[in-house]
Amino acid sequence: MVAAEFRLDDVNLGSNYILCRSEQHHVLRQTSPVTMAAIWLLFRPHPRAIANLRAFKPPPTNYYKCPLTRRAAVLILLFADRAGDLRVVLTIRSSNLKNYSGQAALPGGKADTLHETPFQTARREAFEEIGLPLEKEHLPTGYEIEHLTELPANLAMTELGVRPCVAYLKTPEPFAGNRSPNAARDLLPKLDAKEVAAVFTAPFFNFLREKDVDPTIRDQVPGEWYKGSWHSWHETAWRMHQFHVPVTPSTVFLAGNNNAKSSPPAAAAAAAAGIPRQAEEKSTSDQPDPSSSSSSSSSSSSASEPQSPTPPPPAKPPSSTLQPPLPRTFYAPPSADATLQQPRYRVFGMTARILVDCARVAYATEPSFEHNSHFGDEEMIERLLQIGRLAPKRREGEVLSREVMERARRGVKI
């Protein structure tokens, strides 16, 4: 059996048979329990990507220097689909929210107390927004959530220091009560999305590529996966990433749709177009081994040890034309209801940049598109704190203007 030709459909470790499938037919093959366990390991998520994230040691952060009112955190929740490929959980913000309504975002929000860690903030907000259980005993049997690492803080347009926290939803191996564990079936449809219009998932590795990795999606869902452009922001060249995530009936869940009895219009349209429910679970042949980096690595590094990404090279001037700052209208998408009608959900801005940075760490490789070489906005946050800008109370009409950033660069207090 060739792994590229067959995908695991169901595993019963208590028998000597394994059911495999190809595009043409199903095959029942007799094998030993040892071989079956090895096949199950073959189809688990690539351990190197998770190991790289687990081993990543973030640099010192300015997050804890920010006053409570300026602290926020988001949760990058990764899980493996049945093909072993990692996916990330995202939301469409509700239309009744004051900021970023109708936009795609990671679960997260502001800190409650100075003693709350970023991960505690991210987990609490994920519980409040999408109903992700805080306690292990409230997860489906066998599932666990592991805190892998945190990334450098980012500066939101609302002048919050946002700390990305990466977690892994561990899928259990098959057992008597669940012979084919599948997070997209066992957990996500049962979440209580209280503060968002929808929960959806996206292929994590694809945030390093310019096109849909899955050829089935590429051929059948209209629209492009990626668009990007350079813009002037805070006196620097800033890459605006726009990813357009295709949705299918098994990758998007409406708020309050706990029983998954209906699909949002976009997913229903995808189903009508003939896109299979498990299209997102196809193995992606062009995913690199995360142990290999696009940059040269030391020949003495052990292949069995996870490697943190090498320090980014100095920023290079963008080869494409530098555009002026984006107008405010760019950040005002249609209502959440209108967003849900689309065959693809747009992920852009800080959320997109965080996902690109996280994928760079996980797969130890650089994107196929142009991008900022540094991670997060720690230097920018530090400069703003030094001039007294990120005060506990935000003044009315306060914006990060060119003058403010010039003062921060020169260290002139406001």
Side-chain angles (χ1 to χ4, degrees):
M1 183 180 70
V2 180
E5 297 177 353
F6 295 92
R7 292 174 50 229
L8 197 62
D9 185 66
D10 193 18
V11 176
N12 182 351
L13 294 179
S15 72
N16 292 334
Y17 290 89
I18 182 168
L19 180 64
C20 300
R21 66 182 179 187
S22 69
E23 293 183 357
Q24 290 79 24
H25 55 275
H26 289 70
V27 179
L28 188 65
R29 293 181 179 273
Q30 187 171 14
T31 183
S32 68
V34 175
T35 303
M36 293 177 65
I39 292 174
W40 169 248
L41 289 174
L42 175 66
F43 284 88
R44 291 178 65 181
H46 202 304
R48 176 68 66 171
I50 297 300
N52 281 344
L53 288 166
R54 190 181 288 123
F56 178 72
K57 304 300 182 186
T61 180
N62 292 292
Y63 176 87
Y64 295 102
K65 298 178 183 178
C66 295
L68 175 61
T69 54
R70 302 285 186 167
R71 296 184 186 183
V74 293
L75 182 67
I76 305 173
L77 182 63
L78 304 174
F79 71 95
D81 63 21
R82 292 173 66 196
D85 299 325
L86 293 176
R87 298 186 69 85
V88 60
V89 177
L90 293 151
T91 71
I92 296 295
R93 291 174 62 83
S94 174
S95 294
N96 58 14
L97 294 176
K98 180 180 179 181
N99 295 317
Y100 311 122
S101 61
Q103 292 186 12
L106 293 161
K110 291 184 177 181
D112 267 359
T113 70
L114 289 173
H115 301 291
E116 191 175 52
T117 67
F119 186 62
Q120 289 171 336
T121 298
R123 286 298 309 275
R124 175 181 52 76
E125 287 288 336
F127 171 72
E128 294 174 2
E129 290 184 3
I130 64 175
L132 182 68
L134 291 171
E135 306 297 335
K136 177 182 176 180
E137 55 266 27
H138 294 149
L139 291 168
T141 302
Y143 284 87
E144 297 181 29
I145 295 178
E146 177 189 357
H147 180 198
L148 297 176
T149 190
E150 295 175 7
L151 302 180
N154 286 252
L155 181 65
M157 291 184 65
T158 50
E159 298 187 39
L160 295 174
V162 181
R163 184 76 159 169
C165 302
V166 190
Y168 177 45
L169 176 62
K170 296 181 180 179
T171 302
E173 295 188 8
F175 61 98
N178 190 348
R179 299 189 183 279
S180 181
N182 179 0
R185 178 202 64 210
D186 299 338
L187 176 61
L188 298 183
K190 301 175 184 178
L191 295 179
D192 182 13
K194 302 173 183 177
E195 299 183 5
V196 298
V199 177
F200 69 104
T201 71
F204 183 48
F205 172 75
N206 223 144
F207 288 99
L208 295 174
R209 291 292 177 262
E210 293 181 84
K211 295 182 179 180
D212 294 289
V213 173
D214 187 342
T216 303
I217 294 294
R218 189 188 309 161
D219 295 340
Q220 298 188 21
V221 179
E224 297 178 288
W225 164 262
Y226 177 78
K227 293 180 181 178
S229 55
W230 288 98
H231 294 268
S232 175
W233 191 62
H234 302 335
E235 301 299 301
T236 61
W238 194 80
R239 183 71 173 181
M240 170 58 75
H241 303 296
Q242 295 186 67
F243 298 98
H244 299 86
V245 179
V247 292
T248 69
S250 59
T251 64
V252 60
F253 313 96
L254 286 177
N257 184 24
N258 295 342
N259 296 321
K261 293 181 179 179
S262 61
S263 298
I275 300 174
R277 287 187 61 87
Q278 301 302 331
E280 79 282 0
E281 296 178 358
K282 285 185 175 291
S283 296
T284 51
S285 59
D286 63 339
Q287 289 197 21
D289 184 335
S291 62
S292 63
S293 172
S294 59
S295 58
S296 60
S297 59
S298 171
S299 59
S300 62
S301 297
S302 171
S304 62
E305 296 179 358
Q307 299 294 321
S308 295
T310 56
K316 298 179 180 179
S319 59
S320 53
T321 304
L322 184 64
Q323 304 293 325
L326 289 161
R328 284 282 177 178
T329 53
F330 177 85
Y331 300 96
S335 66
D337 290 340
T339 298
L340 296 178
Q341 300 287 337
Q342 304 302 315
R344 292 176 180 264
Y345 295 168
R346 184 177 69 153
V347 178
F348 70 103
M350 185 182 68
T351 298
R353 185 181 171 200
I354 288 174
L355 289 170
V356 170
D357 285 349
C358 189
R360 290 167 65 193
V361 173
Y363 295 99
T365 190
E366 295 301 305
S368 61
F369 43 79
E370 294 180 347
H371 63 285
N372 292 96
S373 60
H374 62 280
F375 290 77
D377 300 309
E378 291 285 359
E379 182 179 354
M380 188 184 303
I381 293 173
E382 182 178 22
R383 288 183 177 182
L384 289 171
L385 286 168
Q386 288 174 348
I387 67 171
R389 176 61 188 219
L390 300 181
K393 187 174 182 179
R394 186 176 181 181
R395 301 182 183 90
E396 186 176 353
E398 198 174 51
V399 294
L400 289 178
S401 64
R402 181 174 182 175
E403 179 184 1
V404 171
M405 296 311 299
E406 177 61 22
R407 283 175 174 266
R409 187 183 67 81
R410 293 187 287 113
V412 179
K413 291 190 176 183
I414 298 176

